[in-house]
Amino acid sequence: MSQINSSPKLSNSGEPFKKRHKEANLKRLTEHENFFFKFVVNREQDLKEIKEDFLHKFNLDRKNIYVMPAGEDQSELNETRDIVANIAKENYFTYTERQHIVIWNKKTGV
């Protein structure tokens, strides 16, 4: 069985909407029988964007939504982890961690 994992950018990325949200491409991904969207989240406001621009727009099942805390190092992850875990729990999304940062922090080449 094949699987498609996509990580569309939210406004918290700083990228303009037109650059990060290609509706036809996103729609095509949702037509695959086994896919999920994974979002980097750092604030409660990101939930509204996930719901409006993805969950409702594409009529997704909540099992197709993964959320992970934003953070380039362990300190930043510690600041966003609880917020994101609560968003996942309250909205029946899947929580996932940035395991490479948890283990190696900002170390590169590992």
Side-chain angles (χ1 to χ4, degrees):
M1 173 182 351
S2 62
Q3 177 174 308
I4 295 177
N5 310 330
S6 179
S7 299
K9 303 265 188 260
L10 298 174
S11 60
N12 66 25
S13 70
E15 293 290 334
F17 184 80
K18 285 186 174 189
K19 184 175 181 181
R20 61 186 168 77
H21 195 91
K22 305 289 186 188
E23 191 164 337
N25 296 345
L26 293 166
K27 176 67 177 154
R28 189 154 184 230
L29 294 174
T30 68
E31 294 167 356
H32 191 275
E33 69 179 68
N34 190 21
F35 79 95
F36 66 84
F37 289 138
K38 179 177 66 175
F39 299 98
V40 176
V41 175
N42 65 1
R43 58 190 182 188
E44 283 281 340
Q45 298 91 313
D46 295 337
L47 176 61
K48 180 180 178 197
E49 193 173 342
I50 291 169
K51 286 182 174 181
E52 289 177 4
D53 293 343
F54 295 91
L55 188 67
H56 300 311
K57 182 181 276 186
F58 298 112
N59 195 30
L60 302 179
D61 189 309
R62 291 174 186 270
K63 71 178 174 132
N64 297 106
I65 304 290
Y66 283 54
V67 292
M68 69 164 141
E72 292 185 12
D73 60 32
Q74 291 172 359
S75 176
E76 289 178 14
L77 281 182
N78 289 335
E79 292 176 21
T80 58
R81 184 177 284 119
D82 288 343
I83 293 167
V84 179
N86 285 328
I87 286 172
K89 185 172 125 181
E90 292 168 3
N91 292 279
Y92 303 97
F93 298 152
T94 300
Y95 174 89
T96 186
E97 189 60 79
R98 298 175 69 95
Q99 205 62 27
H100 61 291
I101 295 174
V102 170
I103 295 169
W104 293 293
N105 202 19
K106 288 185 87 169
K107 186 174 183 181
T108 60
V110 292

